[in-house]
Amino acid sequence: GVILTLFLFSIINYFVNFQIYFLYYSGYLICILGSVLLVEGYLLEYFQKLGFLFSIYNWRNVFNILAALSLSLFIKDLMLKGSENHRFINVVFLVSIVSIIVSLVLMAVEKPFYEHRWHQPTILLWLPHSGYVIGALCCFIMVIYSYFKGMQSFIAKSFFVGIIPIFIYTFFSLLKNVSIIQDSFWLSYKVRLLCIIFDVFVLFIGITIQIKKLRIEKDRVARLALENELKLYKEKERISRDLHDSVGSQLTIVTSSLDNAIYLAEKQKLGIDKIEKINEYVREAIQSLRDSIWVTHQKKITFLDLETRLNTYLSKSFDGLLIFTVDFEGIHKPMELSSTQAINLFRVLQEAIQNTIKHAS
């Protein structure tokens, strides 16, 4: 009942999220359930009547192997997402799948030997189970890799927590089978069932919490993308406004001055001072455009960047007209300006310098 409930939740999650690892987990649950029911004796007579492919002796092992196959696919799709091109993981995954398939094929080959009580070759006695063990071991390796590489580490922790009780139970069961320890209630089949239920339940809880984390991360990325888009829009708006207020107005003056110069040229009254004035307007427009480009290409601007820009501006525009010094000794720690702060501060200093040249000589 517990396993079927988890299976139902897993199927619902698949149709809600359309993530295939929910189907892999559902397959894992169904295979675990089949193994449990066969050990209890349920469905045994139906498999005997069918006589399909595998001997009744091996059907429980087949379900365990198919559970390992589903688990391998689940781990690859969820825990190792993003490592599709990693050679080591691809090799481990391939070994896992090949081992499991080989085990299934050999168990199918084993059927006539079992039914006719023929002597079985050693390869049929050990290799099918060895393939299952190798497949399960590869699953562990992939989960360990996922954990230490920080790829879905939470679900990897859930996997290890869930597997610990059944691992301990299996270890002590082996000791009991070789008569090292006595049989007890803690080695009964009911305890094994509890370990299995604990395993599938903890893994399901881990998946659910991991999906919630992934959804939160997805929302955070979407919100960050929206914020960046908004910042980009504001930056574009600021640049267009800056170009309109500075370069646009200056080019308008240049256009009207050129129209006036053409009129004076026709009247043969165009003087050199008029051409120099137009040349000054063009230089100012070019300077404004350079200033806008300067701040656009930098997210953060230091006072050192501002000082370099000011010195460049002074040397090109007022070379030899005044001596300019900058003193940032009062700033004890590095400070950065945004592009908006930098261009505004530069405009203030630019206006002050121009007024000093123009009005105070």
Side-chain angles (χ1 to χ4, degrees):
V2 172
I3 294 176
L4 284 176
T5 303
L6 294 177
F7 171 79
L8 180 62
F9 274 115
S10 185
I11 293 294
I12 292 171
N13 267 313
Y14 170 73
F15 286 106
V16 170
N17 298 285
F18 295 103
Q19 298 291 344
I20 196 168
Y21 51 76
F22 282 112
L23 289 184
Y24 294 146
Y25 180 71
S26 301
Y28 172 70
L29 291 173
I30 286 297
C31 292
I32 289 292
L33 182 61
S35 174
V36 168
L37 292 177
L38 282 172
V39 171
E40 285 285 353
Y42 303 111
L43 307 179
L44 202 60
E45 59 179 303
Y46 299 103
F47 279 95
Q48 283 178 327
K49 290 177 182 178
L50 288 173
F52 176 68
L53 199 57
F54 303 101
S55 65
I56 193 62
Y57 169 78
N58 268 331
W59 264 108
R60 176 174 167 263
N61 294 326
V62 168
F63 274 111
N64 288 333
I65 292 172
L66 291 175
L69 176 63
S70 302
L71 196 59
S72 293
L73 295 170
F74 168 78
I75 292 168
K76 183 72 163 58
D77 193 71
L78 176 61
M79 297 190 201
L80 297 173
K81 188 174 286 294
S83 65
E84 289 83 358
N85 298 322
H86 197 285
R87 186 175 180 181
F88 172 75
I89 287 301
N90 288 333
V91 169
V92 173
F93 178 71
L94 185 62
V95 170
S96 172
I97 298 300
V98 170
S99 300
I100 289 169
I101 292 174
V102 168
S103 293
L104 289 173
V105 171
L106 290 176
M107 284 189 178
V109 172
E110 187 184 9
K111 182 183 178 183
F113 286 89
Y114 179 77
E115 289 181 345
H116 296 87
R117 300 185 183 277
W118 296 338
H119 177 71
Q120 293 186 26
T122 305
I123 190 173
L124 292 180
L125 290 174
W126 295 101
L127 198 57
H129 305 284
S130 301
Y132 164 69
V133 171
I134 291 171
L137 183 62
C138 289
C139 289
F140 271 97
I141 292 172
M142 290 190 290
V143 174
I144 291 170
Y145 180 89
S146 170
Y147 176 75
F148 283 104
K149 290 292 183 179
M151 303 162 57
Q152 315 294 348
S153 56
F154 183 83
I155 190 68
K157 289 179 184 177
S158 301
F159 178 88
F160 285 123
V161 169
I163 210 72
I164 284 173
I166 199 165
F167 178 79
I168 294 173
Y169 175 90
T170 303
F171 175 75
F172 281 104
S173 292
L174 290 173
L175 295 180
K176 180 195 74 172
N177 291 339
V178 294
S179 302
I180 294 177
I181 61 174
Q182 296 291 327
D183 193 7
S184 69
F185 168 77
W186 297 107
L187 296 176
S188 65
Y189 187 68
K190 290 182 179 179
V191 174
R192 181 177 181 273
L193 277 178
L194 288 175
C195 292
I196 291 172
I197 291 173
F198 179 81
D199 176 33
V200 296
F201 187 74
V202 169
L203 189 57
F204 181 81
I205 294 298
I207 296 170
T208 306
I209 295 175
Q210 187 68 35
I211 294 302
K212 184 179 179 181
K213 286 186 174 184
L214 291 174
R215 187 176 289 115
I216 292 172
E217 180 64 18
K218 185 178 179 181
D219 292 341
R220 187 190 69 82
V221 170
R223 186 172 62 253
L224 187 62
L226 187 62
E227 290 174 357
N228 289 336
E229 188 177 345
L230 183 60
K231 286 179 182 179
L232 181 62
Y233 172 77
K234 289 182 177 179
E235 187 65 14
K236 287 180 178 179
E237 190 180 49
R238 183 195 66 76
I239 293 171
S240 63
R241 186 174 61 247
D242 190 52
L243 292 175
H244 177 270
D245 294 343
S246 57
V247 180
S249 60
Q250 288 165 342
L251 290 176
T252 302
I253 295 172
V254 170
T255 303
S256 61
S257 299
L258 285 172
D259 290 338
N260 189 32
I262 292 170
Y263 173 77
L264 293 174
E266 289 175 350
K267 298 292 185 180
Q268 296 184 349
K269 294 181 179 180
L270 181 62
I272 193 70
D273 58 331
K274 188 67 176 178
I275 296 174
E276 288 178 351
K277 196 67 177 176
I278 295 173
N279 187 35
E280 182 183 339
Y281 291 147
V282 173
R283 289 178 182 275
E284 288 178 359
I286 292 171
Q287 182 62 42
S288 296
L289 185 59
R290 284 174 176 168
D291 296 338
S292 298
I293 293 171
W294 168 60
V295 295
T296 301
H297 283 80
Q298 301 183 73
K299 290 184 178 179
K300 292 294 182 180
I301 298 169
T302 64
F303 280 104
L304 181 61
D305 296 328
L306 183 62
E307 178 185 354
T308 303
R309 187 65 188 169
L310 280 170
N311 285 326
T312 303
Y313 165 70
L314 288 165
S315 63
K316 289 184 177 180
S317 303
F318 307 102
D319 189 24
L321 291 178
L322 76 166
I323 299 171
F324 185 84
T325 57
V326 178
D327 180 15
F328 289 142
E329 290 183 2
I331 301 174
H332 298 294
K333 59 181 180 179
M335 293 180 66
E336 292 182 335
L337 302 169
S338 67
S339 58
T340 304
Q341 291 171 328
I343 194 63
N344 288 340
L345 183 54
F346 183 78
R347 296 283 187 224
V348 171
L349 294 169
Q350 191 179 41
E351 186 69 20
I353 292 166
Q354 289 174 349
N355 288 338
T356 301
I357 296 296
K358 184 176 180 180
H359 300 294
S361 300

